[in-house]
């Protein structure tokens, strides 16, 4: 007999009409084929392993795959409160080697807890893992617990790149808090030498031919991929092959104020108001003052973003993926219209704004999936100005600022304001620049009392 189904009121998806426990909410994202995955970083110190770990984790969480980094260095700092010198990392320092192994095992215990009891899908084990003995220990741990393993090795032999990484990131670490930069640099280079002597790179042609892995060579100049097991691993590979570390700036802004903004209507395809046109002119002046080389300009395919871009006197590219969230049956309606004509939908959206899907429309979750190609291309580019819409800008901003799905729908993205994003070592610096053209306020704070909420946005 066909199974009876019930439609979820918030997400508008069909669910079995029985008493089976619901899947964890975040399982609505891309699914692992069979079992959780441990991503194992490999490489000498100052090769960008933590940079890759944090950036990849930010991406995976954004697309809906619960991911967490387990940095063994942090466990070591907790176990050894005061770092003295590189002697701690010498391979003949037996006492220190015991401590380091205990720290690795403690991190693996937390990995197991996260993947088996905390609904995690991917754990990133961030450490040097430079010997076959250490990687074998991790493989045995994964086998015992039924976890998949994917190795990411960062290889870089350019001394300039390594020195730059040490100066920008390592010298500011807690290990060197009370140390001058010259002494810290000397100590850290000796620390690298301690690992160099026993380093056994991954060998996909012989010893490691059965392992799933990617070798990232010289900060993305070349890649070597071996035995990708599933969809998630292929997406990880694709992502790593698109990111770069060149200095650049990303500018995000909404279109100028529209006629529908003035009327309080959502969606639609209206043109700019008079103040919106003034913003477009002001944006042109702002862009000229930035004096950027080879600035790319992207818009949606809706009239209000294209009108804004036209004032820039620059080539621009239209992306359908950048169109505003589809409000379905609520398109071109005011909040008051929605409250009167669709009171249940009006209330449901406040309950879970990220997962709520408009009837015949989209949710923020749908929007994230739609915007993934935009993120991939943004990672490939250098200087870009994206002229988009409120919900779209929130999704893009959440990616760069590592905001959760719960926070995303309430990020403030006011009209006539440019957000300047500058990628830094382990994150992104954001600067909010108002162009001083008045506009209506379309932001709505998270309702304090869900039952008495007044309007969705």
């Amino acid at each position: 007999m066909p199974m009876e189904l019930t439609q979820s009121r918030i997400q508008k998806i069909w669910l079995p009409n029985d008493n089976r426990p619901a899947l964890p909410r975040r399982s609505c994202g891309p699914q692992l084929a069979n079992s959780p995955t441990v991503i194992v970083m490999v490489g000498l110190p100052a090769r960008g392993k933590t940079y890759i770990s944090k950036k990849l984790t930010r991406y995976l969480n954004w697309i809906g795959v619960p991911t967490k980094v387990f940095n063994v260095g942090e466990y070591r700092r907790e176990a050894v409160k005061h770092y003295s010198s590189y002697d701690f990392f010498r391979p003949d320092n037996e006492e220190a080697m015991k401590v380091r192994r205990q720290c690795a095992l403690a991190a693996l215990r937390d990995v197991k807890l996260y993947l088996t009891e905390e609904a995690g899908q991917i754990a990133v084990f961030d450490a040097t893992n430079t010997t076959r003995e250490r990687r074998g220990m991790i493989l045995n741990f994964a086998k015992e617990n039924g976890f998949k393993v994917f190795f990411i090795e960062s290889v870089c032999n350019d001394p300039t790149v390594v020195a730059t990484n040490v100066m920008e990131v390592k010298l500011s670490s807690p290990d060197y808090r009370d140390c001058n930069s010259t002494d810290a640099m000397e100590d850290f280079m000796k620390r690298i030498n301690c690992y160099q002597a026993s380093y056994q790179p991954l060998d996909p042609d012989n010893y490691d031919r059965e392992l799933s892995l990617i070798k990232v060579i010289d900060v993305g100049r070349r890649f070597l991929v071996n035995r990708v097991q599933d969809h998630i691993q292929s997406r990880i590979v694709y992502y790593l092959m698109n990111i770069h570390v060149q200095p650049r700036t990303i500018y995000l802004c909404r279109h100028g104020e529209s006629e529908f903004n003035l009327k309080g209507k959502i969606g639609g395809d209206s043109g700019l108001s008079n103040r919106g046109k003034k913003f477009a002119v002001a944006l042109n002046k702002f862009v000229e003052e930035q004096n950027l080389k080879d600035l790319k300009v992207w818009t949606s395919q809706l009239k209000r973003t294209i009108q804004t871009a036209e004032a820039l006197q620059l080539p621009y590219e239209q992306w359908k993926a950048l169109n505003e969230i589809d409000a379905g049956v609520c398109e071109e309606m005011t909040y008051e219209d929605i409250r009167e004509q669709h009171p249940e939908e009006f209330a449901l959206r406040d309950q879970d704004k990220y997962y709520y899907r408009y009837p015949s429309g989209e949710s923020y979750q749908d929007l994230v999936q739609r915007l993934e190609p935009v993120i991939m291309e943004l990672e490939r580019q250098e200087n870009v100005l994206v002229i988009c819409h409120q919900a779209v800008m929130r999704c893009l901003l959440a990616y760069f600022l590592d905001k959760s799905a719960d926070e995303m729908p309430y990020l403030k993205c006011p009209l006539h304001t440019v957000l300047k994003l500058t990628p830094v070592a382990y994150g992104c610096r954001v600067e909010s620049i108002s162009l001083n053209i008045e506009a209506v306020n379309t932001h709505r704070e998270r309702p304090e009392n869900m039952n008495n909420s007044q309007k969705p946005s």
Side-chain angles (χ1 to χ4, degrees):
M1 291 288 291
M3 184 178 291
E4 290 296 320
L5 302 174
T6 301
Q7 190 177 48
S8 157
R9 294 158 67 215
I10 287 179
Q11 292 180 269
K12 314 297 188 289
I13 58 176
W14 291 99
L15 303 170
N17 189 18
D18 57 21
N19 294 320
R20 281 183 290 173
L23 290 170
R25 175 56 65 87
R26 293 299 281 169
S27 69
C28 297
Q31 294 297 290
L32 303 185
N34 297 304
S35 52
T37 295
V38 180
I39 294 175
V40 181
M41 303 305 300
V42 177
L44 294 170
R47 264 57 180 184
K49 298 183 301 299
T50 297
Y51 169 81
I52 292 172
S53 298
K54 288 177 178 288
K55 196 171 179 75
L56 180 60
T57 296
R58 175 159 54 89
Y59 162 71
L60 291 169
N61 278 316
W62 185 76
I63 64 171
V65 182
T67 305
K68 185 176 179 180
V69 178
F70 296 83
N71 181 283
V72 177
E74 293 178 3
Y75 287 79
R76 188 258 305 167
R77 291 184 193 99
E78 186 64 29
V80 182
K81 300 295 185 183
H82 179 69
Y83 172 77
S84 55
S85 76
Y86 72 94
D87 283 337
F88 183 85
F89 294 95
R90 286 171 48 182
D92 59 353
N93 187 336
E94 294 184 9
E95 184 178 345
M97 289 292 282
K98 288 180 182 177
V99 173
R100 290 162 62 191
R101 182 180 176 84
Q102 289 167 358
C103 292
L105 291 171
L108 288 176
R109 285 194 293 271
D110 287 347
V111 165
K112 179 180 177 180
L113 188 69
Y114 177 67
L115 295 179
T116 58
E117 298 182 27
E118 297 175 8
Q121 289 189 20
I122 296 181
V124 182
F125 190 73
D126 181 18
T128 53
N129 301 313
T130 47
T131 66
R132 288 172 180 168
E133 183 273 331
R134 175 56 56 86
R135 297 195 292 267
M137 182 184 83
I138 299 168
L139 286 167
N140 288 336
F141 159 81
K143 186 176 181 180
E144 289 169 4
N145 291 284
F147 302 149
K148 291 181 180 178
V149 177
F150 186 73
F151 290 93
I152 301 175
E153 182 175 25
S154 181
V155 180
C156 182
N157 297 316
D158 185 334
T160 305
V161 174
V162 173
T164 300
N165 193 17
V166 173
M167 289 296 294
E168 290 184 355
V169 180
K170 300 303 179 182
L171 299 193
S172 60
S173 99
D175 290 344
Y176 299 109
R177 184 176 290 119
D178 301 319
C179 190
N180 68 62
S181 59
T182 302
D183 291 344
M185 184 74 164
E186 182 181 351
D187 183 85
F188 196 87
M189 298 310 288
K190 288 179 179 177
R191 186 195 295 195
I192 293 175
N193 291 336
C194 290
Y195 285 95
Q196 189 88 54
S198 58
Y199 180 25
Q200 297 171 296
L202 289 169
D203 179 13
D205 292 326
N206 294 293
Y207 188 86
D208 299 313
R209 64 185 304 156
E210 299 304 316
L211 301 183
S212 299
L213 64 90
I214 179 172
K215 289 171 83 91
V216 182
I217 302 167
D218 291 337
V219 203
R221 179 181 61 83
R222 184 168 169 240
F223 301 90
L224 197 157
V225 181
N226 191 67
R227 293 182 69 88
V228 171
Q229 289 180 309
D230 56 33
H231 172 66
I232 288 292
Q233 291 183 9
S234 69
R235 287 178 78 161
I236 291 169
V237 167
Y238 181 52
Y239 179 72
L240 294 176
M241 293 179 73
N242 278 279
I243 62 176
H244 68 81
V245 295
Q246 300 304 315
R248 48 44 176 290
T249 306
I250 296 167
Y251 298 86
L252 302 179
C253 74
R254 293 169 64 186
H255 52 81
E257 180 187 72
S258 72
E259 294 291 349
F260 272 18
N261 288 148
L262 287 175
K263 297 174 182 177
K265 294 185 176 182
I266 64 173
D269 194 16
S270 64
L272 297 181
S273 68
N274 288 332
R275 292 189 303 196
K277 292 172 184 175
K278 288 180 181 178
F279 167 73
V281 173
L283 182 62
N284 178 51
K285 182 180 178 183
F286 170 80
V287 169
E288 288 177 348
E289 290 171 349
Q290 296 297 297
N291 194 27
L292 293 165
K293 182 183 178 183
D294 300 325
L295 176 69
K296 300 283 181 67
V297 179
W298 298 350
T299 74
S300 72
Q301 291 186 347
L302 297 176
K303 184 178 180 180
R304 51 197 184 273
T305 64
I306 296 168
Q307 280 186 309
T308 305
E310 277 290 329
L312 300 182
Q313 301 172 359
L314 289 171
Y316 58 89
E317 182 178 352
Q318 296 181 26
W319 286 68
K320 186 175 182 181
L322 287 171
N323 283 6
E324 180 60 304
I325 191 169
D326 184 351
V329 300
C330 298
E331 279 281 314
E332 303 189 14
M333 296 175 70
T334 66
Y335 300 133
E336 289 70 25
D337 292 337
I338 299 170
R339 182 169 54 197
E340 291 174 8
Q341 298 177 35
H342 305 282
E344 184 181 24
E345 298 299 328
F346 184 88
L348 285 171
R349 193 160 192 254
D350 275 347
Q351 291 180 25
D352 195 334
K353 195 173 177 182
Y354 179 81
Y355 287 101
Y356 170 83
R357 179 177 287 131
Y358 283 106
S360 304
E362 291 179 303
S363 64
Y364 270 87
Q365 184 194 28
D366 296 329
L367 198 51
V368 164
Q369 294 177 11
R370 165 149 67 87
L371 288 168
E372 188 180 0
V374 177
I375 288 295
M376 286 293 183
E377 193 58 29
L378 275 173
E379 287 291 0
R380 292 181 61 86
Q381 296 293 333
E382 294 185 6
N383 299 320
V384 182
L385 166 63
V386 183
I387 304 172
C388 52
H389 307 267
Q390 181 165 253
V392 171
M393 189 166 163
R394 283 170 172 163
C395 292
L396 297 177
L397 195 59
Y399 167 78
F400 286 107
L401 300 187
D402 197 18
K403 299 296 183 181
S404 68
D406 186 54
E407 296 171 289
M408 182 190 297
Y410 297 99
L411 295 176
K412 291 184 178 179
C413 298
L415 288 164
H416 301 176
T417 299
V418 178
L419 295 186
K420 180 178 180 180
L421 305 178
T422 307
V424 292
Y426 293 152
C428 198
R429 185 172 67 248
V430 59
E431 181 182 355
S432 179
I433 305 160
S434 170
L435 298 196
N436 297 316
I437 307 292
E438 284 191 18
V440 295
N441 178 14
T442 61
H443 181 80
R444 174 177 174 266
E445 298 291 346
R446 184 192 301 269
E448 292 183 13
N449 187 332
M450 295 301 181
N451 294 325
N452 297 324
S453 58
Q454 293 299 304
K455 63 181 183 181
S457 64

